[in-house]
């Protein structure tokens, strides 16, 4: 059962064994990991000076243990506020039908908000051309947005669309569902696609936008979709906070999926 921890609980659970062969930072990290697993999301953990007192370690040791758990996504460091256990994860479903962030969050009962970072016309780069069914240099629309939940940055989305399919889209409201806009204004809906997932570390810009430390673990996805008629519709790159976002995949045909032959 998850619960809130008192100072007495922290002091009792973080008492280390100085004479043990295992390094102190490792002992502290693993004790913190065990306590975190019992805490409710968004539980503040003790400040560095308190951890030093509870565990009997130096500031460098406390910082190293905390830093490891931040990298793993179990803790979240919030500038000017402190360090907290990770908030409840947002699950983005990767099923057989592509779904957008707004649609997914609405289905989960959450209220997302969006801020547009950039929206412009640009030539299609050679490495994007195959996914969009275009020649290199053809016109595309680039839309970069930051997606938030409860005013907390969740992910950065960078969408690329063939310009000829979406005339005038830059004059539209881009703070809502992009898929909804494509469907209602242009009669275009993603029917199928392919999404790949990897892990990356936040660079300076991503760290600033997502409110995470430099080199924090992020989930990176690249999605290409096509319409029912097979027309390439989008290529979208997402960088999501690893402490908030979880991707789940529905496997309709386990045998084919394992063989790499499942539907995209």
């Amino acid at each position: 059962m998850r619960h809130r921890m008192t100072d007495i609980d922290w002091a009792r659970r973080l008492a280390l064994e100085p004479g043990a062969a295992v390094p102190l930072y490792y002992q502290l990290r693993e004790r913190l990991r065990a306590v975190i697993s019992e805490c409710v999301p968004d539980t503040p953990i003790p400040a560095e000076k308190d951890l030093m007192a509870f565990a009997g370690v130096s500031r460098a040791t406390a910082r190293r243990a905390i830093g490891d758990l931040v990298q793993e996504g179990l803790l979240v460091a919030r500038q000017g506020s402190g360090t907290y256990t990770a908030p409840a994860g947002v699950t983005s479903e990767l099923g057989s039908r592509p779904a957008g962030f707004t649609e997914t969050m609405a289905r989960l009962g959450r209220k997302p908000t969006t801020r547009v970072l950039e929206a412009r016309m640009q030539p299609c780069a050679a490495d994007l051309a195959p996914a969009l069914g275009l020649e290199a240099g053809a016109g595309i629309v680039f839309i970069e947005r930051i997606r938030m939940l409860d005013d907390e940055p969740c992910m950065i989305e960078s969408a690329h669309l063939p310009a000829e399919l979406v005339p005038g889209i830059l004059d539209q409201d881009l703070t809502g569902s992009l898929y909804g806009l494509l469907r209602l204004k242009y009669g275009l809906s993603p029917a199928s696609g392919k999404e790949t997932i990897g892990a990356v570390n936040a660079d300076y810009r991503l760290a600033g936008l997502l409110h995470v430390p430099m080199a924090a673990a992020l989930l990176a996805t690249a999605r290409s979709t096509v319409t029912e008629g097979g027309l390439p519709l989008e290529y979208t790159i997402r960088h999501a906070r690893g402490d908030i976002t979880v991707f789940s995949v529905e496997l309709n045909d386990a045998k084919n999926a394992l063989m790499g032959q499942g539907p995209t």
Side-chain angles (χ1 to χ4, degrees):
M1 180 179 179
R2 297 190 170 212
H3 57 279
R4 297 280 180 187
M5 300 290 292
T6 66
D7 283 352
I8 294 176
D9 292 328
W10 285 109
R12 176 175 56 84
R13 297 293 296 277
L14 297 181
L16 306 185
E17 302 175 29
V22 180
L24 290 178
Y25 91 88
Y26 183 91
Q27 290 187 50
L28 178 56
R29 184 187 69 192
E30 296 311 303
R31 280 168 169 72
L32 279 171
R33 188 195 306 279
V35 176
I36 289 168
S37 69
E38 300 172 12
C39 292
V40 297
D42 281 316
T43 295
I45 72 166
E48 278 184 7
K49 62 181 179 61
D50 295 321
L51 285 178
M52 292 163 60
F54 295 155
V57 298
S58 67
R59 185 178 300 275
T61 297
R63 285 184 175 177
R64 183 172 181 182
I66 293 171
D68 283 358
L69 295 174
V70 168
Q71 286 285 342
E72 292 181 31
L74 296 178
L75 292 177
V76 181
R78 295 174 182 159
Q79 188 171 3
S81 178
T83 305
Y84 297 78
T85 58
V90 173
T91 301
S92 182
E93 299 173 359
L94 305 178
S96 58
R97 184 182 67 84
F101 179 83
T102 302
E103 178 184 350
T104 301
M105 294 305 102
R107 188 165 61 250
L108 295 174
R110 307 292 294 272
K111 293 182 179 180
T113 55
T114 298
R115 179 162 58 93
V116 178
L117 299 175
E118 290 188 66
R120 62 176 187 266
M121 291 283 293
Q122 66 182 42
C124 183
D127 58 338
L128 297 182
L132 293 174
L134 300 172
E135 296 290 334
I140 64 171
V141 175
F142 173 76
I143 303 171
E144 183 179 55
R145 305 183 296 170
I146 184 166
R147 317 306 295 269
M148 296 174 285
L149 290 173
D150 303 322
D151 297 322
E152 188 71 17
C154 179
M155 69 174 67
I156 306 295
E157 287 186 344
S158 301
H160 308 76
L161 309 168
E164 61 182 11
L165 296 183
V166 289
I169 194 171
L170 294 180
D171 297 323
Q172 304 298 314
D173 180 6
L174 301 175
T175 62
S177 167
L178 185 58
Y179 282 178
L181 176 62
L182 291 174
R183 182 174 61 254
L184 295 175
K185 172 115 181 124
Y186 300 99
L188 300 169
S189 294
S192 61
K194 179 180 180 180
E195 189 150 18
T196 59
I197 309 172
V200 299
N201 295 113
D203 60 17
Y204 179 81
R205 180 172 183 269
L206 289 173
L209 289 172
L210 292 173
H211 296 179
V212 297
M214 276 282 291
L218 302 178
L219 292 173
T221 72
R223 171 187 290 190
S224 57
T225 64
V226 298
T227 65
E228 190 71 43
L231 187 67
L233 180 58
E234 64 155 335
Y235 181 81
T236 296
I237 299 171
R238 297 189 289 178
H239 289 94
R241 281 174 50 168
D243 60 320
I244 292 180
T245 310
V246 176
F247 290 97
S248 67
V249 182
E250 181 179 349
L251 301 178
N252 294 315
D253 187 332
K255 180 178 178 181
N256 282 342
L258 289 172
M259 294 294 290
Q261 299 172 347
T264 56

